[in-house]
Every structure is written in C-alpha cells, then in structure tokens.
Amino acid sequence: MEQQLAPGMRVEIRDAEWRIRRVDHSSDGGHQLVCEGLSELVRGREGRFLTRLEEGIRVLSPEDTHLVDDSSEGFRAGFLYLDSMIRKAPATGPAIQLGHRAALDPLPFQLDPARQALSQPRPRILIADAVGLGKTLEAGILVSELIARGRGKRILVLAVKSMLAQFQQEFWNRFTIPLVRLDSTGLQRVRNRLPANHNPFHYFDRAIISIDTLKQDIEYGHYLENAWWDIIVIDEAHNVAERSGSSQRARLARRLATRSDALIMLSATPHDGKAESFASLMNMLDPTAIANPSDYAHEDFRDKGLVIRRLKRHVQDQLGGNLPEREIDIMRAGASSPEEAVFEQMANLRFQALDRKTRSGGHLFRTTLKKALYSSPAACQSTIDNRIARLKRRDSSKEVQADMAVLSDLRNAIAQITAEQFSKYQLLLELLGTCEHSLGWNPKDPEDRLVIFTESIPTLEFLVERLPADLRGLSKSQVSTLSGRMSDKELMAAVEGFGQRDSKTRVLICSDVAAEGINLHHLSHRLIHFDVPWSLMTFQQRNGRIDRYGQTRTPQIRYLITQSDNARITDERRVLEVLIEKDHQASKNIGDPSEFMGLHSVDQEEQLVADFMEREGDDLAALFAGFLDENVSDSEQPLENFLPTNAPSKILDDITADRPTLYETDFDYAAAALSWLRSEGVRIQEEIDRQNQRLVLTAPPDLQNRLRFLPKEARPEADRFILTPDRKLIAEDLKIRRDEDSNWAQRQYLWPLHPVMEWLGDRALGTFGRHTAPLFRIPGRLEPNQTAFLLVGGYPNRRGHTLIQAWLGFVLEDGNITEELDLAGFIHRLDLRPGQVPNRNRGGPTDAVAARLPGVVRRAEQRLAEHRRSEEAAIEDQLLEQLQAMDDLKTRHLQQLELEFDRSDQPEHFKQRRRDDRLGHIQRVFDDYDNWLRDTHTLDDQPYIQVAAAFTGQEGNQ
C-alpha cells in the first residue's frame, strides 16, 4: 500500500532531504512529488519524483528529530541555524513584511498595490498610477513580498527595449533581485550554449526581455508555452492591449498570461478609450473577468482587485520634495519674413487629388503638412519629398500633376527658411544662451543636462547637426539622441550615458520613443518641447521623464511656438496653446490630462486636434477649449472608475510587520555568519567594519557557483562584494556611480534577498546535519528540571503555498508543559541574544530531552489544528464567495455567447460549430479557474511540523 504523503512533509529520497511542496496524481496510478531540496547538495533546488519509481521514500517525523548538542562558543552555530530558519520561513498574512525594507525611502501609498494584490485569491494586478509616481518600485515591493512567501523563484519581466537596462538596474540596486537581460543578442547566446532541444527560458530563473524580441522569432512561442514562471511582469502594458485586430504583442501577452501564477502589469495610460482594448488587459489578468468586451462596467470586475490607480493629487502630501511642482512657460518666436510667406501660402493651400480624407478617416494632407511645418522646415520638406515620390508612382492625371506643382512651389518657399530665418530655432539658441530670458542652462555643468523633444526625425536630425555648430561651448560629442531607429543596445547606452556625471553628454534630443518609462531626471530638470505634441497623453509621457518621483529640483518645462501675423495660423497656434494650458491644469488638480479628451489614445487625440484645425470659421481655440472643458465635466471616464475609493495608506506602521529575529540587524546576522564560517575552517576573505556598517566579502567557490546566474553587471570585479544595510549609503553610491560610468551600485544592499545573504542562510542550515535540531544547554535561563522546544508548523494548500503558519514555543517542567509562547515571547522568555549567552558545556546525553519530543509534537498538532479552525472558516467563506462570483460570471459569458449567435445571420451549421468551439473554450477557462481556486483555498489535512531547537537547564560535560 502506498504511504500517505502530503505537502509540508520532510522526506528522504535518494539520500537527500526534501520538503514536499505538492502532491499530484501521476498517469501510472501513483503520485508525483514536487519537492524543495533541504540538505546541502540539493538545497534550493526543485525535485520531481514518481512514487511508483522511488524506493525507500522515508518520511522524517518531527518526533524523531535528532538533537545535537551545540558546543560552539556562545552557541554561535545554534543561533545562526535558528535565525536562518526564522528568516527562510515563508511569510503569511496580509501585512507587508519585507518590501518596505528595500533600498528606497518607502512611501505608504507605494505599498498599497502589494497589499491589494496579496489580498486577492491570486496576485494579479494592473498598477496604473500616473506617470512618475514609482510604478517600478511598487512592482519591486510586490515581487519582494511574493519571494518572501515562497512564490517568486522564477520571474520573467517584459519591457520596451529602451527600458530593459533601467528596469534591470532598479530591481537589482533597490531589491537585489537579479534579472538577466536577454536582449536581441543575449537570448541567442543562451541558445548557442544549450542543446538544440533545450528550452532557453529554463536556463535562467529570473530574466528580462523585450516583448519585441520575443515576437520576432516563431520558435520563442513554442519555448514560452513550455515554460512556467511564478511571476510575470509586463511594463508599459498598454502596448500589449488588443487594438484594431489582434497584434503580435497582444497574442504573445495572452499566451504568457497563462504561464504564471502572479501577473503584474504596469501602465500610466492603460485605457485607449476603447472598451475592447482595456477588456483585453483585464482578461489577461483574469480570463473570467469580462463577459462582453464591448459592453461592461467597472462593477463587473471591481471586487477582483485587478486595478489600482492613484494620481499625483491623491498622494501629494506624501511626495514632499520627491516631486516638486513643475515650472511651465510658453516661449514665442516672431515669424521671419520667409516663414510668413510660407504661412500665407500654407493657409491658402488647395489640392485637387490630395485634398481628400483618407479611407481610415485620417486628416487632410494639408493638415499633415502644417503639423510638419510647425515642427521644422526640414520636417515639412521631408514630408513633401515623400509625397512627391509617391505621386510620381501614381497615374499622371492632370489633378496629380497640379498637386505636384503646388507641392514643388511650397517646397521652394520653405527652402528659403534657412537656420538663420528659422525663428523657433533661433529662439532655442537664445534660451540656451545668456540672453535675458534664457533658461540659465550651463553646458559646462555636468549636473545641468537638457532634454529636447521633437516628434519628427528630420527635425531631430536638423537639431543634432546645427546645435553644436551654432551654440557656443557645445560640441558634437556632447549631443546624444534617442529615436526609434536605434537598436535596443544603442538606446540603453544613450539613456545610461545621460545619467552619468562623467559622460560628455549635455543635451539629449529625443523622439517620442523616449516618452515611455525611462528616467532622465537624475542630472536633468530642464525639458524643451521643440514642437508641441497634438496629444495630451504625449505631454504626460514626455514631461514625466524629468517630472517624476525622485526629482529634487523644480522641473523647468518650455514649449516653443512660432507667432505669426497670419490670422489662420494664429488661430491654429492658439489651439496648441490650449493643449499646453490643459496639461498644466491637469498636473495641478485633475491629475490625468487625457480626461479632457476622454479618448485615451495618442492617435485618436491627434485626430481630434486635427479635426479642429480643419474647421472653417473664427476662434478655433475658444471652440476647442470649450469642448475640452465640457468633455471633462460631463463625461465619466473609464479610468476615473479606478481611482481609490479608500484614501491611500499614510502610516507605514499600520500596514507593515517585521517578524522577530535573534539578531538585531541584517548586518549583525551576516557578520556573525562570516565569523562562524571562518572559525569552522572555511577559507573566506572578508572585512567586517561594524562602525561604518560595511562588509566586504570575496566569494568562495560554492558562492561563485551561484553567481553564474547573476547579470554580469551585478557581479562585482573579482567577485568582491561590498555590502551595506544603510539605504542612504546605497543612494549616495548610486549617485556617485552614475556620475562616473555606471548605473550599477558598487556598494550593494545587504538585506534578506541578496544572494550573499541567501548563501549564508543555506550554509547555516547545513550546520547540524540531516533531520536534526540544535540543543542549547542554558542553565540559569532554565532550571535543571526544565526543557523548552521551539517548533514551526503550518498548513499548505494543494499548490504547496503555506496559508497558515505558526511558531510554537513550549516550556516544560518535569516533563509537563507549563508555558506556551509565540516566537517573540519565546525569544524574550529565554533571553536568546547572540553573544550574550555563554556556552560552558561540551555536550552530554540528549535522550532525556529527546524523550519529551513526542508529547510536544502532539501538543503542537493540537495548537495548529486550533489555529486552522480559527482561520479555516474565513478561508472557506472566501472560497464560496469566489465560486459564487465565478458562477455568476460564467452565466454572463454564456448569455453573451447566445446573444452574439442569435444576432448572427450565418448558416446554422457554421453557427453551431462556432458555438460549440466557444462553449468549449468558456468551459475550459472556468474549469481551470475553478480548479485553481479550490487548490489555493483547500488546506492539506495534516500539518507540517519541524523542530527548530531544543533547550535544557541541565548542564552537560564541562
């Protein structure tokens, strides 16, 4: 008869010790055990075993734990072993236990996404906070919490190519979570190392990759479908929403959404105004969320906790000096004579073949020309040249020939606008010079860098060529660019260089490829819009590059506009000024400028502006402003539904909980562990500076072996780690490193997630051997007739995740339990302070203490059962509530299906086949979710129990 095995049990398989995480039925009639390695050679590794094939699986019962006298000086070995157990025990409960301790100055509102996600049946969330509020940090806090709960071993991050390095650096510098960057060449290198049939996504447990890299190779789809992660993070998630048609990005994201337990999406602009695209994101997070993607309300999925969104106004009181109010000004340049001539010609421009709307309803070609001209003569010339080339390939009708002649005349007129006659460019030179209304920008100051945005690549190229020639004190080597034409490596190098003090870069000229996500605020607080965007969403993204969390100087933002005497051009210019005013108004009170248009799509917002530009009549600006004001007051915007119903958290202590430990600080623990390893004969090169909280360690061979899976940038030279738990020192070091040549901190953050700390813990847990616990002889703290035991136990769910866990301390007198204590109480009762407990004994008989174990284990089982009964009702209620909600959602999905097919006029046999396919899909989705809910809410019958340590008041051998 096959023995009964359950999650949480410690077992011996193939001469190694494992803890069972999950028990699944196997096709041979037995079970598959998914186990976590505990003994030295397998610690931290996952093992899968078939019970029908494994002989001699031995269950390691807690009452059979072998007690080993700790004879180390001051019980150093025992204290390290016990504290390592406490540190590695999975966290439970809703409070934030680790993320707030990362290398950042945590603001309470930044913990709310983690709290919301952890309170749901599964941690899936769209963090939709406004630009600049720290979404990457919020994601790092949640990921840290999941790791602390044993649910974050394998992590995959998808980001836009310009963000790969920055995201990777933030996760390492702030949270010491290593993400190996698989850029356009990195993934190929991994594949070259592996046999042809091996999955490259199994090689690294934690990786970051561009979704555009993944979508380029059809093979990756196969690899993705056969890989599983604990956590997937998708940055700038609006890029993977379904738009018109199903894009490659959306298909890939949908596939990935099924390959992880936790899914974290980040986007400040997740809603493009189309119900279907936002519904696609919600259904990636939870495929049961929305039945009809074209018609739904927030109430349909509100209780699932899938979205959190805060604007600047909601958290302004917490931001303080981390996000100063921006300073905005519109700079106007009087048009030159050649410009006025072109404006006059443009205002009267008429075409025969070209003066028609496109099939897609786009704006008139003359509007396209105006938009290019408002950027630069170079942009307009390029647009004309491209259109003439296209017309030449068309028919040679009189209409086409006439339009080509009009375009040629216009191009000749534009050619008269030299750099000297280009008034907006001359204004830019004045702003960057020393005139009265200059910005005060100093190109010699490495901490005063300038960002210039333009939508047009020809304009960008013009500025790159002319600025070094026309601006005194600026050389070509001091001008860098960011554009969509650059490779991912070039983009990352440009961003990193702009943030490094020793870099030559003083001016960064960007197209809107740089408008998403990247940090440009470290050495820059000045931004110039060389051309005014026609979308408020673009305003939001551009300004967010320097106006973001962590900016300590007042952001200075300038908009450049050419002022003309032509009435029509003036009216159109004032439409653009209305956009500037509305963006400024939104930044001060509304928070989200896209609310003015209610479209939530850059393309649609630009089309709306173009429509107003094309209107006939007077005072277009007043009409446009009135439309925007009426729109924001009358409409109910989709994203408004996701603004916080409860005020953001304000007090850290109310939402965090630090578990008790034996050592006062992480530094004390690490220092004690290194000293102990040296005393045990391990060859270690370390320096411990307690006064300055600085620890230097050269990795020994077994640690070096682990470092193979670190990003090469995070692995220090000669594997010599410089570690500190001081967050201020980390911040200072990051600034120094950026000023030099790297965005990777030289001093690394010493906290529980650092690989060195994980290695020290694993070494300490191997101290006393397999299925053992240390015995502390502490006369004076216990009487000779007293013993004490500390145990940890709990109940995992069917997926192996611990839902209920408790530390149980028992003090016995003459074999009878007289005191029962929690972890903090037990530590206090025995005064367990490392370095303060002398060890004068060198061992002795342990049988008398071990004889007390069966009774203690039975009492622990009773207490855990009581603990389970006190919490199980709430868990079951939550399950029933979720199952009922899921049944309701399933009914909606089926009703929507019948509605769609009732309206269809297709032949009945086609409809029936499609209906059957859709029914099968709905059934599979809900069956999968039903199984997942039951697996995550159903506790195993038997608890796991481990004896952590035993204590006695009896003296041993002297």
Side-chain angles (χ1 to χ4, degrees):
M1 181 177 177
E2 191 174 276
Q3 63 191 131
Q4 294 297 310
L5 300 169
M9 284 184 173
R10 292 160 71 96
V11 293
E12 190 175 76
I13 306 175
R14 302 185 191 179
D15 198 34
E17 186 179 349
W18 305 82
R19 177 183 288 117
I20 299 175
R21 291 180 55 200
R22 198 167 72 241
V23 180
D24 298 322
H25 290 285
S26 57
S27 58
D28 60 3
H31 291 87
Q32 177 184 249
L33 307 180
V34 180
C35 302
E36 174 189 8
L38 298 177
S39 53
E40 187 169 0
L41 292 178
V42 297
R43 184 169 293 119
R45 293 174 57 185
E46 182 179 270
R48 295 173 181 262
F49 306 99
L50 295 173
T51 56
R52 289 292 178 91
L53 298 181
E54 297 297 334
E55 296 183 3
I57 297 177
R58 184 166 76 95
V59 176
L60 303 176
S61 302
E63 52 263 52
D64 296 331
T65 302
H66 181 49
L67 301 181
V68 177
D69 256 302
D70 181 8
S71 58
S72 63
E73 182 182 353
F75 297 107
R76 286 199 297 173
F79 278 129
L80 284 168
Y81 173 87
L82 183 53
D83 200 63
S84 296
M85 277 197 66
I86 295 170
R87 287 169 173 270
K88 287 183 174 288
T92 57
I96 303 299
Q97 299 186 35
L98 184 65
H100 64 294
R101 296 173 51 200
L104 48 88
D105 293 323
L107 302 177
F109 82 87
Q110 293 176 331
L111 307 187
D112 287 341
R115 295 175 65 227
Q116 179 169 313
L118 293 172
S119 68
Q120 302 304 319
R122 57 178 172 177
R124 294 189 150 218
I125 191 169
L126 166 62
I127 303 176
D129 284 352
V131 171
L133 293 187
K135 290 182 291 297
T136 305
L137 300 181
E138 292 170 349
I141 290 167
L142 175 52
V143 170
S144 299
E145 288 298 311
L146 290 170
I147 293 172
R149 284 160 169 73
R151 304 172 67 178
K153 184 174 185 292
R154 283 180 47 78
I155 302 169
L156 177 69
V157 176
L158 285 90
V160 294
K161 61 183 181 178
S162 60
M163 280 288 293
L164 290 177
Q166 179 178 299
F167 202 107
Q168 182 193 28
Q169 291 154 8
E170 287 284 276
F171 259 47
W172 176 253
N173 292 331
R174 306 290 185 186
F175 305 96
T176 66
I177 298 173
L179 301 172
V180 175
R181 188 168 72 234
L182 300 177
D183 52 28
S184 52
T185 57
L187 191 54
Q188 187 59 49
R189 282 199 304 268
V190 174
R191 293 176 65 183
N192 291 340
R193 291 189 219 171
L194 301 176
N197 61 340
H198 281 222
N199 191 331
F201 294 111
H202 289 159
Y203 190 75
F204 292 109
D205 277 340
R206 297 171 177 178
I208 182 169
I209 190 168
S210 163
I211 197 165
D212 289 323
T213 298
L214 286 181
K215 77 177 187 182
Q216 287 168 4
D217 194 328
I218 195 169
E219 288 183 72
Y220 295 150
H222 170 73
Y223 292 133
L224 289 170
E225 287 174 352
N226 289 279
W228 180 268
W229 289 269
D230 296 304
I231 305 168
I232 292 177
V233 181
I234 302 179
D235 193 27
E236 303 295 346
H238 51 273
N239 291 315
V240 302
E242 290 183 12
R243 308 292 181 184
S244 55
S246 186
S247 70
Q248 284 180 290
R249 287 176 173 179
R251 289 197 300 272
L252 184 59
R254 281 201 311 273
R255 187 181 304 157
L256 281 169
T258 67
R259 306 309 301 159
S260 74
D261 270 347
L263 178 60
I264 305 168
M265 292 181 164
L266 311 177
S267 175
T269 54
H271 206 302
D272 67 352
K274 294 182 179 178
E276 293 83 359
S277 64
F278 186 77
S280 72
L281 295 181
M282 293 300 97
N283 282 331
M284 288 178 204
L285 292 168
D286 182 345
T288 72
I290 294 174
N292 183 359
S294 301
D295 184 14
Y296 58 91
H298 183 224
E299 289 72 21
D300 293 338
F301 58 93
R302 175 183 55 206
D303 295 336
K304 287 178 172 285
L306 297 177
V307 187
I308 187 168
R309 179 172 175 80
R310 282 79 53 85
L311 306 177
K312 186 177 177 182
R313 70 174 187 265
H314 298 121
V315 295
Q316 186 66 60
D317 59 326
Q318 296 185 40
L319 293 171
N322 288 304
L323 199 58
E325 285 293 334
R326 63 178 67 162
E327 174 194 298
I328 291 176
D329 201 359
I330 300 174
M331 310 304 296
R332 298 175 178 84
S336 64
S337 296
E339 286 177 319
E340 289 287 19
V342 171
F343 287 149
E344 183 67 25
Q345 195 167 340
M346 186 73 78
N348 298 309
L349 202 61
R350 294 292 182 271
F351 294 107
Q352 297 181 32
L354 290 175
D355 229 1
R356 303 188 185 105
K357 291 271 189 179
T358 65
R359 289 183 181 178
S360 61
H363 41 258
L364 297 173
F365 178 62
R366 54 183 168 157
T367 307
T368 301
L369 282 175
K370 284 182 182 179
K371 188 178 183 185
L373 181 61
Y374 293 159
S375 178
S376 71
C380 197
Q381 285 178 317
S382 176
T383 301
I384 291 171
D385 291 342
N386 290 334
R387 186 51 58 104
I388 288 177
R390 288 168 61 184
L391 289 174
K392 285 180 178 178
R393 294 192 294 269
R394 284 179 56 178
D395 60 84
S396 56
S397 66
K398 290 183 178 179
E399 290 180 332
V400 169
Q401 294 299 316
D403 285 354
M404 289 175 60
V406 170
L407 288 174
S408 296
D409 288 345
L410 180 61
R411 194 192 190 289
N412 291 335
I414 292 172
Q416 304 304 310
I417 307 174
T418 62
E420 292 72 24
Q421 297 293 332
F422 183 12
S423 58
K424 191 169 64 170
Y425 175 65
Q426 293 301 316
L427 174 61
L428 175 66
L429 295 179
E430 291 179 16
L431 278 177
L432 303 185
T434 58
C435 70
E436 182 179 346
H437 57 271
S438 75
L439 275 177
W441 174 67
N442 180 7
K444 295 181 180 179
D445 183 354
E447 295 190 4
D448 191 5
R449 303 196 173 178
L450 181 70
V451 180
I452 300 176
F453 265 103
T454 175
E455 185 179 274
S456 166
I457 294 299
T459 302
L460 181 148
E461 292 170 345
F462 167 82
L463 292 173
V464 169
E465 179 184 353
R466 294 293 312 198
L467 272 179
D470 297 336
L471 198 60
R472 183 177 299 175
L474 187 70
S475 65
K476 282 189 175 182
S477 63
Q478 292 178 306
V479 178
S480 294
T481 62
L482 284 177
S483 77
R485 295 180 178 179
M486 299 165 66
S487 69
D488 46 9
K489 285 189 173 181
E490 291 171 329
L491 286 168
M492 288 184 284
V495 173
E496 288 187 6
F498 189 70
Q500 293 165 359
R501 195 176 189 280
D502 287 352
S503 167
K504 292 181 179 179
T505 301
R506 294 295 181 270
V507 178
L508 185 66
I509 305 175
C510 310
S511 73
D512 285 327
V513 72
E516 285 188 335
I518 60 174
N519 293 331
L520 300 178
H521 66 289
H522 296 302
L523 296 176
S524 176
H525 64 291
R526 307 185 202 272
L527 185 149
I528 294 175
H529 297 264
F530 191 76
D531 45 35
V532 178
W534 289 22
S535 162
L536 285 169
M537 291 180 70
T538 303
F539 277 82
Q540 185 182 25
Q541 290 286 358
R542 284 186 182 183
N543 292 334
R545 297 318 98 223
I546 66 163
D547 185 14
R548 58 193 302 104
Y549 178 71
Q551 176 65 269
T552 57
R553 295 175 288 182
T554 298
Q556 294 183 343
I557 297 170
R558 299 293 185 267
Y559 299 90
L560 306 190
I561 285 182
T562 303
Q563 196 161 312
S564 170
D565 293 333
N566 185 287
R568 178 68 189 189
I569 299 299
T570 297
D571 214 14
E572 292 176 356
R573 170 183 57 77
R574 290 186 60 236
V575 168
L576 300 182
E577 292 187 8
V578 167
L579 285 174
I580 297 171
E581 291 165 5
K582 296 307 178 186
D583 176 70
H584 185 47
Q585 180 183 339
S587 72
K588 293 182 73 67
N589 46 53
I590 294 176
D592 183 358
S594 61
E595 293 179 26
F596 279 108
M597 295 189 186
L599 298 174
H600 305 284
S601 162
V602 170
D603 291 340
Q604 290 181 50
E605 289 190 344
E606 290 182 349
Q607 181 61 55
L608 177 63
V609 174
D611 289 344
F612 269 92
M613 292 282 200
E614 291 168 359
R615 288 190 182 189
E616 299 296 334
D618 298 328
D619 211 351
L620 297 181
L623 289 173
F624 186 55
F627 167 81
L628 296 182
D629 290 338
E630 183 179 354
N631 201 48
V632 78
S633 62
D634 291 348
S635 63
E636 294 182 5
Q637 301 306 327
L639 286 180
E640 274 296 313
N641 292 324
F642 312 130
L643 298 180
T645 53
N646 299 320
S649 298
K650 293 183 180 297
I651 302 174
L652 282 175
D653 289 346
D654 290 347
I655 55 177
T656 60
D658 294 324
R659 71 176 72 183
T661 56
L662 303 180
Y663 295 88
E664 288 190 13
T665 67
D666 292 331
F667 184 88
D668 292 335
Y669 169 81
L674 289 172
S675 298
W676 168 73
L677 285 173
R678 176 179 282 279
S679 71
E680 290 292 300
V682 179
R683 298 182 64 181
I684 290 181
Q685 299 179 41
E686 94 284 0
E687 303 170 22
I688 300 172
D689 182 350
R690 294 184 182 276
Q691 181 177 354
N692 296 304
Q693 294 284 284
R694 181 176 181 269
L695 189 153
V696 181
L697 169 69
T698 299
D702 61 330
L703 177 53
Q704 289 177 16
N705 189 51
R706 296 178 177 225
L707 301 181
R708 291 180 298 127
F709 298 103
L710 279 188
K712 59 180 175 44
E713 299 91 344
R715 189 168 179 173
E717 187 176 350
D719 291 333
R720 183 174 180 268
F721 287 93
I722 304 172
L723 304 166
T724 179
D726 190 324
R727 294 190 287 202
K728 290 183 179 178
L729 288 178
I730 294 295
E732 290 173 6
D733 191 58
L734 279 172
K735 185 176 186 306
I736 292 170
R737 293 286 283 169
R738 280 195 299 265
D739 290 348
E740 295 171 352
D741 60 354
S742 175
N743 285 324
W744 297 81
Q746 186 173 33
R747 281 181 287 199
Q748 297 182 5
Y749 188 49
L750 186 70
W751 80 316
L753 296 191
H754 195 283
V756 168
M757 292 287 278
E758 293 177 337
W759 168 74
L760 287 173
D762 288 343
R763 289 299 300 257
L765 288 176
T767 303
F768 294 97
R770 190 177 305 168
H771 199 42
T772 62
L775 174 61
F776 294 73
R777 296 182 183 274
I778 50 174
R781 285 172 168 79
L782 290 173
E783 298 299 324
N785 66 335
Q786 290 181 317
T787 54
F789 297 89
L790 183 64
L791 297 85
V792 61
Y795 292 89
N797 61 22
R798 288 177 181 171
R799 297 180 69 84
H801 301 144
T802 301
L803 292 191
I804 296 175
Q805 179 177 270
W807 287 88
L808 304 166
F810 301 99
V811 178
L812 292 74
E813 191 170 322
D814 295 326
N816 299 311
I817 297 174
T818 57
E819 298 177 61
E820 298 186 20
L821 304 158
D822 62 11
L823 178 58
F826 190 84
I827 293 171
H828 178 73
R829 165 66 174 83
L830 300 187
D831 195 18
L832 300 179
R833 292 179 295 160
Q836 303 297 315
V837 186
N839 186 4
R840 304 186 185 89
N841 303 286
R842 292 297 177 263
T846 62
D847 294 347
V849 180
R852 311 295 187 199
L853 269 177
V856 169
V857 171
R858 284 195 298 273
R859 180 64 67 87
E861 289 172 342
Q862 294 172 8
R863 293 295 176 256
L864 286 170
E866 293 169 2
H867 194 41
R868 171 181 175 145
R869 285 194 292 272
S870 69
E871 296 195 23
E872 193 169 31
I875 294 174
E876 289 179 353
D877 287 346
Q878 186 183 42
L879 174 60
L880 291 173
E881 183 182 337
Q882 291 289 329
L883 290 175
Q884 181 59 55
M886 192 179 67
D887 285 344
D888 294 342
L889 281 168
K890 185 176 181 181
T891 300
R892 290 186 204 171
H893 278 260
L894 294 175
Q895 290 172 344
Q896 177 61 31
L897 178 67
E898 293 307 319
L899 255 172
E900 288 179 22
F901 281 100
D902 285 346
R903 294 169 180 168
S904 173
D905 56 0
Q906 288 185 321
E908 192 59 37
H909 64 283
F910 283 129
K911 288 203 299 186
Q912 187 60 46
R913 184 168 42 181
R914 288 184 60 221
R915 181 188 284 111
D916 290 344
D917 288 343
R918 291 276 301 280
L919 278 172
H921 174 73
I922 291 171
Q923 192 63 46
R924 284 192 302 274
V925 165
F926 279 88
D927 283 349
D928 288 346
Y929 196 51
D930 183 280
N931 292 333
W932 192 91
L933 279 173
R934 295 180 188 277
D935 285 348
T936 53
H937 286 75
T938 303
L939 299 175
D940 196 73
D941 293 334
Q942 296 296 319
Y944 71 86
I945 296 176
Q946 183 175 355
V947 179
F951 304 81
T952 179
Q954 294 179 353
E955 295 186 358
N957 301 323
Q958 300 297 313

